[in-house]
Amino acid sequence: MTDNTRQKQPSFLEYQGRYKGILGWILSTDHKRIGLLYLYTMLFFFSVAAILGILMKTQLLAPGETIMGPQTYNSFFTLHGIIMIFIIVVPGLPAVFGNFFLPIMIGAKDVAFPRLNLLSWWVYIIGILIVLTSQFTGGGPPDTGWTFYAPYSFQTPTNVLPAVFGAFVMGFSSILTGINFVVTIHRLRAPGMSWLKMPLFPWTLYGTAWIQILATPVIGITLLLIVAERMLGIGFFDPALGGDPILYQHLFWIYSHPAVYIMILPAMGVISEIIPVFSKKSIFGYRAIVLSTMAIAFVGYFVWGHHMFTSGMSGRALFTFSFLTFLVAIPSAIKVFNWVATMHKGSLHLHTPFFWAVSFLFVFMVGGLTGLVLGALATNVHLHDTHFVVAHFHFIVFGGTGFAFMGAIHYWFPKMFGRMYDAKWANLGWGIFFIGFLSLYLPMFYLGMMGMPRRYYDYLPEFHGPNILSSLGAWVMISGILIIFANLIRSARSGPRTSEKNPWGGKTLEWQVDTPPTLENYDEIPRVDETPYDYRDYTGIDNPNN
Amino acid sequence: MTIHRDDLGDKFGMWLFIFTELLLFGMLFVVYAVYRSMHPEAFRIAAEELDVALGTINTVLLLISSLTVAMSITAIQKGNKQRALQLLGVTLLIAIIFLVNKYFEWGAKFEYGFYPGSEVLQELGFGTILFFGLYFFMTGIHALHILIGIGLFIYVIVQMKNDKIHQTDYVWLENTGLYWHLVDLIWIFLFPLFYLIH
Amino acid sequence: MSEEKTHIVPYKTQIVVLIVLLILTALSVAVTQLEFGSYNTLVAMLLAGAKSVLVLAFFMHLKYEKKLFPVMVAAVMVIFLLVLFVTFFDYSYR
Ligand code: HEM
Ligand SMILES: [Cu+2]
């Protein structure tokens, strides 16, 4: 591109391509627009699933039937789980922020396969639609839980088939994104950006993409087997035909445990971006973070059995899986040390993204440590299928991925929309959310230890007290979410405009391009010779705009 | 949008896709291994129901078709479009013959009542049920891949006729070839595991 | 444009590979008639493994691609075999 076209290029938001209006979005191959498409889709479905969650919590306000019966409760946690897992957190950060920022952060104009990228959004939407049909047709909404455990999943009269098939289709979307990112990272890094000069968010996306490629087909075939079991009765999981239902659990978790790392690795990447920027300090132990990312991706592949400790697996398998589970905790812990050490003696800047990052550290630690409680064989027998597990995975998936998501959107918002949000409301929303989150989920640990099982619409009267606290917490948290969403949506539409390229003083490439970025991000591909996060030149004087 | 071409990147993407396919079938091999380890005798006896001759013919066919795609790549690299098209035509033909054979093979099994959920199978016990469940599911998914391969070959042939695929731009052909070899690779393992148990 | 030089595999090499593949196939059929006891499956898998290496190296051009490609294929195979292995921690000791 020559210099005279440089003057004022339209941003990707204003750019007028072949199609106008909404078609210019849903047919756009621009990675940034696709990222936003995912964002809007997820916002919508997150709201739906959150409403289901809050209704369940309201049901649990008192023992006995309050607002719904058992069948409704069963179908609610099933749909809630399917949406939250398959529609929100699995595509999650890679699909939204990975799409938007991966090419920019490695100095590329787009991903390697832009059309494939658009296709994966469409496949995702088609998968969602198929899942949704399960709610309104056939034998009624599925009631298996998001895990579709055999043999119940092929015996229940409810409409499991479309739900399973929809999840299968969404798997393709995940695979396509993974393929796209691996090739993008291998082929399109800016000149000079060697592997160890790549920022950490792309690194975690790289690890994630490999898991997407190597684990997603496993769930694909497993779900197909459920379809075959239901339609043809091939008998693989049916004890009456010689099948072994535990084999289903193996296959399911061979995917679904690595899937947990699909959810959490990019979250770790986001946190690794935010913390140095707001500490004005180089990240501590860049190599250790990179290595632990890849170690998690690899070892995480072989720990699936910790979900099956009470299934009747062999003793030797129990021991092996428990051991490997403790092993995989080490690299995660290394990362926590790195983040804390980065903040140590840093010049902390207390902006909204930083609040999210710090609270992430806290909830992630609680989630991770309770994970070890569940990874130990003896305690697991007591806690399996109780509310302790529900609390644990909400701390990790919601507290981990969810907080990182919130941090990411508050961090990159000005770059994405060219507008600024209202920081006061954002901070207030964070505070209310955080308090609500803790009072919603902390009591569940206690309830679980006392023996309250998960997936029941009812409980014994002695569990009443903590459940009230938990349900109230849910309402507080939802108020926080409402404030945050309202603030972001309003700001995206009519917040004060900004074209400030680098409001936070970040060092990675996305802070050097226009705000919002132009269609091709760069007029000229930059040369990268420095490591990311180099704050040795920090003088203590900030950009006056923030 | 600037169109930039990166053949190596395209091939890279195809390989990654092949990895997903390998693991997809891989998990079926895990299921197979588990049930065969539980019912070794039943698997051996059930395998005798399969037609080794037909299986061998299909193996040979697929190997030959792998050769013809590989050769068609060499042909197009040398700029010999006519030769490349002929070789692709042969490949397509073999793919179709493979499916026809499969059709007769499956048909015979159905005739004898060896199909999932059949009464004959119920009589014969767990191992046999699982063997035939696996046989139909795995060769079925494999046949589906053959079908997709046929679609791809037709597309590639048309594109080559229209000179969209030519001596300096043939990555579509290469990737289709890779896909086809994958289908062959899977069969290389399916064949001994189902037909040649002794 | 791709600047990587293309490697043209001669027809002759490919035909030789096919012949070896056919011989291996014949061998694996013939071997079933022999009695190796429980080693039969092992032999069958080794033969199939040899065949797939040939297909990967020559027909799929791995021999001529960048090093990265064969390394990735090997890694994927290792992961698969490990999954199989770990699964049998359960099934072998029930
Ligand atoms: C919006 C606030 C949320 C509330 C109020 C909420 C509440 C609940 C409740 C009450 C259950 C059922 C517990 C039981 O009886 O077993 C549940 C299950 C579950 N939730 Fe949430 N949740 C929320 C957000 C999330 C998020 C963000 C995720 C994931 C990213 C998530 C993932 C799950 C999963 C996977 C299940 C298990 C479903 C099953 O048992 O099959 N939830 N949640
Ligand atoms: Cu797990």
Side-chain angles (χ1 to χ4, degrees), chain A residues 73 80 84 89 145-146 393-394 397-398 441 454-455 477:
Chain A
Y73 189 88
H80 170 86
M84 287 298 192
V89 287
W146 77 281
F393 68 68
H394 280 95
V397 203
F398 199 3
Y441 294 117
R454 69 188 276 210
R455 290 181 173 170
M477 189 182 74

Side-chain angles (χ1 to χ4, degrees), chain B residues 58 61-62 64-65 68-69 85-101 146 149-151 153-154 157 180:
Chain B
N58 266 351
L61 281 178
L62 272 193
I64 294 175
S65 73
T68 50
V69 212
L85 278 173
Q86 285 162 359
L87 286 162
L88 283 176
V90 174
T91 317
L92 184 62
L93 192 71
I94 294 182
I96 293 168
I97 297 177
F98 182 94
L99 280 188
V100 172
N101 281 348
I146 301 253
I150 290 178
F153 282 128
I154 293 175
I157 288 174
W180 192 248

Side-chain angles (χ1 to χ4, degrees), chain A residues 338-508:
Chain A
N338 282 311
W339 294 320
V340 174
T342 304
M343 288 188 280
H344 180 64
K345 288 192 174 165
S347 160
L348 302 186
H349 287 52
L350 304 182
H351 296 292
T352 322
F354 188 68
F355 290 142
W356 284 108
V358 176
S359 48
F360 168 95
L361 284 189
F362 176 72
V363 288
F364 181 69
M365 292 242 303
V366 175
L369 292 173
T370 52
L372 290 181
V373 175
L374 290 166
L377 293 172
T379 38
N380 180 280
V381 174
H382 179 65
L383 294 170
H384 183 79
D385 259 346
T386 67
H387 260 66
F388 190 92
V389 176
V390 180
H392 156 71
F393 68 68
H394 280 95
F395 261 86
I396 285 284
V397 203
F398 199 3
T401 312
F403 278 42
F405 201 98
M406 294 289 197
I409 195 149
H410 285 97
Y411 177 53
W412 280 312
F413 188 92
K415 180 62 68 181
M416 296 165 82
F417 295 99
R419 294 175 187 271
M420 196 52 200
Y421 52 83
D422 184 323
K424 280 216 186 68
W425 281 107
N427 292 343
L428 182 72
W430 168 78
I432 295 178
F433 181 101
F434 193 36
I435 294 170
F437 181 90
L438 294 180
S439 56
L440 163 58
Y441 294 117
L442 281 177
M444 287 191 188
F445 283 123
Y446 174 77
L447 286 167
M449 283 188 280
M450 292 298 116
M452 177 171 160
R454 69 188 276 210
R455 290 181 173 170
Y456 280 91
Y457 84 117
D458 193 5
Y459 51 81
L460 298 175
E462 64 252 39
F463 298 138
H464 196 186
N467 265 306
I468 297 180
L469 182 59
S470 172
S471 294
L472 289 182
W475 285 101
V476 174
M477 189 182 74
I478 287 288
S479 326
I481 292 184
L482 283 179
I483 293 175
I484 295 165
F485 282 9
N487 183 30
L488 289 178
I489 292 171
R490 214 208 55 222
S491 307
R493 305 177 62 155
S494 59
R497 280 182 188 280
T498 167
S499 56
E500 169 67 51
K501 282 188 180 176
N502 193 357
W504 313 118
K507 296 281 184 180
T508 37

